[in-house]
């Protein structure tokens, strides 16, 4: 759906985006994560045609953002971090204005407005001035604006910034509801939001992509080592250690907490790139122990983020 190749942007001598290569598939919600100044907003502005790259290319399907900017923008809805709303307009008048600007007329415009009212829960504020709305309600109006003509691609820059927890959940539900058959790219520095909303996470630091994958891939696939939580019935720690420590790839076998009465909980650490689970299962099967739990134990997304973006 979207292809970025060697995308670079300089502001004077400062490199904000440094040779990014990224493909975004149809039907996935992709989160761009990174510290302030990492290049997230600049990347999104180039994607939407708001900024021209210093070098590199962006293609949406078979269209070039540089050569066919209007055709690309017709496929795309965009909500900047500060929603560009007219504070003196009533919500209904504003949405009608947006519908007309997007080429929707008559019954088609009204039908689309009412669809957005339903999706974004705007029915109680349609005849209120935008300037009187809370930030959360203004953000909903901004989302209705971005989704007005049912775009294939939705680009959202910090869509939940400054909202309270209830408003964040509401905006997240709107994004996931709209994104079932669309392509959505959103930037955020709220890690829990990315984890709850996105199918895929791309971490950017100093203008470069430093990680790309699902939450599970990032939390279980990065770091110096991996571990399994293992809960056994009928075993004690020393016996389990003697059986499991020789397994290829296993680094250590240590006791863990919260096993319950009569049970033994273990943390089995192993080397990246290895998967000792089949051999662990075979060795325990040869005993009279019972496996009650065996699950990968990943690091938190916060820890992954800090390790990848911290200063040297």
């Amino acid at each position: 759906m979207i292809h970025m190749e060697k995308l670079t942007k300089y502001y004077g001598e400062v490199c904000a985006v440094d040779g990014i290569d990224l493909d975004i598939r149809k039907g996935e919600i992709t989160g761009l994560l990174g510290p302030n100044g990492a290049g997230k907003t600049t990347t999104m502005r180039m994607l939407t045609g708001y900024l021209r790259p210093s070098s590199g290319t962006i293609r949406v399907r078979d269209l070039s953002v540089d050569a066919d900017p209007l055709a690309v923008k017709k496929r795309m809805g965009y909500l900047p971090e500060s929603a560009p709303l007219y504070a003196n307009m009533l919500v209904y008048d504003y949405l009608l204005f947006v519908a007309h600007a997007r080429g929707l007329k008559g019954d088609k415009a009204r039908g689309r407005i009412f669809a957005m009212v339903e999706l974004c829960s705007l029915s109680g504020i349609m005849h209120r001035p935008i300037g009187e709305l809370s930030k959360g309600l203004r953000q909903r109006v901004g989302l209705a604006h971005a989704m007005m003509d049912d775009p294939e691609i939705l680009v959202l820059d910090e869509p939940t910034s400054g909202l309270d927890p209830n408003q964040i959940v509401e905006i997240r539900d709107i994004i996931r509801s709209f994104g079932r058959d669309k392509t959505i790219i959103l930037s955020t520095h709220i890690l829990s939001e990315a984890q709850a909303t996105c199918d895929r996470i791309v971490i950017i630091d100093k203008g470069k992509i430093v990680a790309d994958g699902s939450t599970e891939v990032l939390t279980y696939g990065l770091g110096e080592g991996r571990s399994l939580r293992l809960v056994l019935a009928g075993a004690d720690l020393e016996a389990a250690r003697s059986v499991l420590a020789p397994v290829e790839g296993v680094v250590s076998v240590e006791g863990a907490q919260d096993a319950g009465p009569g049970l033994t909980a273990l943390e089995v650490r192993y080397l990246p790139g290895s998967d000792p689970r089949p051999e662990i299962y075979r060795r325990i099967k040869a005993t009279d122990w019972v496996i009650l739990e065996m699950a990968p134990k990943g690091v938190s997304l916060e820890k992954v983020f800090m390790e990848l973006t911290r200063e040297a």
Side-chain angles (χ1 to χ4, degrees), residues 124-147:
I125 62 169
M126 292 298 285
H127 298 291
R128 288 176 58 185
I130 291 173
E132 296 180 1
L133 303 179
S134 67
K135 181 166 185 178
L137 291 174
R138 289 199 303 271
Q139 202 73 344
R140 289 193 208 173
V141 175
L143 278 172
H145 173 168
M147 299 184 292

Side-chain angles (χ1 to χ4, degrees), residues 101-122:
R102 282 290 192 169
L104 303 175
K105 304 294 183 182
D107 290 342
K108 196 168 184 180
R110 285 188 291 273
R112 192 63 193 159
I113 288 171
F114 289 125
M116 290 299 95
V117 169
E118 181 73 19
L119 178 62
C120 299
S121 302
L122 301 175

Side-chain angles (χ1 to χ4, degrees), residues 1-310:
M1 173 64 80
I2 299 172
H3 175 71
M4 305 181 197
E5 184 174 355
K6 295 180 173 58
L7 190 64
T8 302
K9 180 63 179 179
Y10 279 88
Y11 294 107
E13 296 183 355
V14 177
C15 183
V17 175
D18 189 3
I20 281 179
D21 293 318
L22 181 62
D23 287 300
I24 299 174
R25 298 174 288 273
K26 180 179 179 180
E28 70 180 7
I29 301 176
T30 300
L32 300 184
L33 270 68
N36 292 331
K40 306 184 301 296
T41 294
T42 298
T43 300
M44 301 183 92
R45 287 178 176 176
M46 289 189 287
L47 171 60
T48 58
Y50 183 80
L51 289 176
R52 295 193 67 178
S54 301
S55 63
T57 59
I58 306 173
R59 300 192 67 82
V60 176
R61 290 190 180 273
D62 56 346
L63 299 171
S64 166
V65 171
D66 187 45
D68 307 290
L70 188 58
V72 170
K73 289 174 183 178
K74 286 181 178 179
R75 297 170 179 256
M76 193 175 293
Y78 177 38
L79 179 62
E81 183 175 358
S82 298
L85 308 176
Y86 294 120
N88 62 333
M89 294 183 73
L90 302 181
V91 172
Y92 177 81
D93 293 339
Y94 177 76
L95 294 181
L96 185 61
F97 163 74
V98 171
H100 289 168
R102 282 290 192 169
L104 303 175
K105 304 294 183 182
D107 290 342
K108 196 168 184 180
R110 285 188 291 273
R112 192 63 193 159
I113 288 171
F114 289 125
M116 290 299 95
V117 169
E118 181 73 19
L119 178 62
C120 299
S121 302
L122 301 175
S123 59
I125 62 169
M126 292 298 285
H127 298 291
R128 288 176 58 185
I130 291 173
E132 296 180 1
L133 303 179
S134 67
K135 181 166 185 178
L137 291 174
R138 289 199 303 271
Q139 202 73 344
R140 289 193 208 173
V141 175
L143 278 172
H145 173 168
M147 299 184 292
M148 179 59 69
D149 61 340
D150 197 23
E152 296 179 52
I153 301 166
L154 189 60
V155 181
L156 308 173
D157 193 359
E158 301 282 0
T160 60
S161 177
L163 304 185
D164 67 38
N166 290 331
Q167 293 169 334
I168 288 174
V169 171
E170 291 168 356
I171 297 298
R172 180 200 305 162
D173 290 343
I174 293 170
I175 293 170
R176 292 206 68 87
S177 177
F178 186 78
R180 288 178 185 140
D181 57 351
K182 307 292 182 180
T183 300
I184 297 180
I185 306 102
L186 63 89
S187 73
T188 183
H189 58 270
I190 304 173
L191 303 184
S192 59
E193 252 330 279
Q195 196 162 0
T197 306
C198 300
D199 305 312
R200 174 185 178 192
I201 292 173
V202 177
I203 300 179
I204 300 177
D205 186 42
K206 301 182 183 67
K208 293 179 176 288
I209 294 175
V210 294
D212 181 1
S214 66
T215 302
E216 291 76 16
V217 167
L218 295 184
T219 55
Y220 291 115
L222 297 175
E224 298 178 353
R226 309 291 168 268
S227 65
L228 290 172
R229 175 177 167 80
L230 195 61
V231 178
L232 303 175
D236 60 57
L237 175 59
E238 291 307 318
R241 182 179 284 144
S242 66
V243 170
L244 302 180
V247 172
E248 184 177 358
V250 170
V251 176
S252 65
V253 180
E254 303 296 338
Q257 296 179 346
D258 303 325
L263 304 178
T264 299
L266 306 170
E267 182 178 356
V268 181
R269 295 190 59 81
Y270 58 96
L271 297 173
S274 64
D275 185 358
R277 287 176 296 178
E279 182 60 22
I280 286 174
Y281 172 77
R282 281 191 288 269
R283 294 198 177 206
I284 294 176
K285 186 179 178 182
T287 71
D288 58 355
W289 305 338
V290 177
I291 301 176
L292 299 179
E293 180 181 344
M294 182 164 62
K297 183 181 177 183
V299 297
S300 68
L301 185 59
E302 285 82 0
K303 184 174 181 181
V304 171
F305 181 87
M306 290 175 65
E307 288 182 354
L308 292 173
T309 62
R310 67 188 174 189

